[in-house]
Amino acid sequence: MKVNLSGRRGLATTTVACAVAAAVVLFAATRSWQTVVTVQPAPLPPLKVDRTGTEIAPWLTALAVVGLAGAGALLATRAAARLAVGVLLVVAGAGVAVASLVALGDHVRVAWPLLCVLGGLVVAAAGVVTVRSGRSWPGMGARYERTSTPARRQHAQTDMWDALDRGEDPTRGDRPE
């Protein structure tokens, strides 16, 4: 089965997948990954400290935030900028996956790191799809772009007043009288 990821549907699917995967990484990174038990002299009980994924691999949350920002940037960019966002998503997703895999070991609970690996792979896949299909996706509408600078607009208004001072009708354009 071939999935068509061009046009608006491809942009929407990739953006939502990237945002959800990055949010999952943020959630999983803040859960308890490891419980460290420190033996204390008697009669004190052993000291138990839970360590989250962000304590074990602090860059996980930063890379997840990059993934979330990248999802928003997919909607706001076009052409070369969108290609750069796609490459950034590939790097961020791969970084999340590698950091999560490196954190495995030393009695770390496996579920949360593997969820981070899965989220990182989805973010990286969104980046790959963006690099491959991003040029066929639509950009934001022209209504979000500035059409003229205020100085040009001001100059055009003064030209109209000058035409009125000369006795010309600026609304008539090139039509003969």
Side-chain angles (χ1 to χ4, degrees), residues 84-102:
V85 169
V87 171
L88 183 67
L89 287 175
V90 169
V91 171
V96 166
V98 168
S100 301
L101 287 174
V102 168

Side-chain angles (χ1 to χ4, degrees), residues 95-176:
V96 166
V98 168
S100 301
L101 287 174
V102 168
L104 284 174
D106 292 332
H107 305 294
V108 171
R109 292 180 191 96
V110 177
W112 298 121
L114 288 182
L115 195 57
C116 282
V117 169
L118 180 64
L121 292 177
V122 171
V123 170
V128 169
V129 169
T130 300
V131 169
R132 290 188 67 196
S133 304
R135 291 184 196 100
S136 67
W137 295 341
M140 292 178 78
R143 65 180 167 191
Y144 298 108
E145 295 181 12
R146 176 177 267 178
T147 56
S148 66
T149 61
R152 281 189 178 172
R153 226 179 292 135
Q154 180 66 29
H155 184 65
Q157 289 176 353
T158 57
D159 287 346
M160 290 178 67
W161 284 109
D162 290 341
L164 284 173
D165 288 342
R166 290 189 302 267
E168 300 171 7
D169 185 1
T171 62
R172 291 188 63 111
D174 293 321
R175 293 180 289 160

